[in-house]
């Protein structure tokens, strides 16, 4: 991701809260997804920037899809480093102590979907070649 250098430019022009990834570090897609989802949800329920940042990092540590969670969580930075980051970005929202996601809609299916037949798995390459040949009028 290498966003620390770009983040410094935002800090230099006065952006009070900037999240970046340490220079010469990479973050996997699952780690970025876990962080982003938890961070923005925390902001949406009224957490302050520092608390939301810490929640995002903890989500990376605990994400089952991120095998090196602690290492990846340590690559996230909240800049500028000397700022308190004790501001709620969405101050007009009431703080939520506990959020329960809505129940998923009831399924209209009688049961779970059957698995794809094994003969069709991996056929996308063959299908692409056939469609390309037809479009190129080679068939």
């Amino acid at each position: 991701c290498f966003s620390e250098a770009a983040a410094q430019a935002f800090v230099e022009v006065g952006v009070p809260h900037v999240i970046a990834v340490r220079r010469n570090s990479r973050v996997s897609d699952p780690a970025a997804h876990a962080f982003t989802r938890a961070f923005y949800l925390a902001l949406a329920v009224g957490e302050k920037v520092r608390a939301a940042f810490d929640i995002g990092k903890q989500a990376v540590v605990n994400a089952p899809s991120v095998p090196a969670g602690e290492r990846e969580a340590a690559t996230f930075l909240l800049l500028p480093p000397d700022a308190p980051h004790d501001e709620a970005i969405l101050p007009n929202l009431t703080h939520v102590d506990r959020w329960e996601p809505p129940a998923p809609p009831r399924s209209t299916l009688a049961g779970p979907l059957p698995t794809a037949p094994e003969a069709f798995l991996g056929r996308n390459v063959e299908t692409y070649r056939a469609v390309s040949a037809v479009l190129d009028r080679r068939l």
Side-chain angles (χ1 to χ4, degrees):
C1 188
F2 311 115
S3 61
E4 186 176 5
Q8 281 301 95
F10 284 97
V11 171
E12 289 171 10
V13 296
V15 177
H17 314 289
V18 182
I19 294 178
V21 172
R22 290 184 193 281
R23 193 168 288 145
N24 301 323
S25 296
R26 292 180 186 261
V27 173
S28 66
D29 286 344
H33 182 262
F35 178 86
T36 303
R37 182 179 177 129
F39 175 76
Y40 285 112
L41 180 60
L43 288 178
V45 297
E47 293 290 345
K48 295 179 179 176
V49 174
R50 168 66 67 192
F53 178 76
D54 292 339
I55 289 167
K57 286 176 59 171
Q58 192 61 46
V60 173
V61 170
N62 294 327
S65 60
V66 183
E70 290 196 23
R71 181 185 56 78
E72 291 210 53
T75 64
F76 289 96
L77 296 171
L78 180 56
L79 302 173
D82 56 342
H85 302 291
D86 59 356
E87 175 185 358
I89 298 297
L90 302 170
N92 296 330
L93 296 178
T94 57
H95 181 78
V96 176
D97 290 323
R98 183 174 175 168
W99 180 75
E100 291 291 331
R106 294 190 62 196
S107 175
T108 57
L109 300 173
L113 294 174
T115 59
E118 199 169 309
F120 291 104
L121 295 178
R123 299 288 300 259
N124 54 346
V125 173
E126 293 170 356
T127 303
Y128 173 79
R129 287 181 184 152
V131 169
S132 294
V134 168
L135 293 175
D136 291 343
R137 299 179 188 179
R138 288 185 279 172
L139 262 183

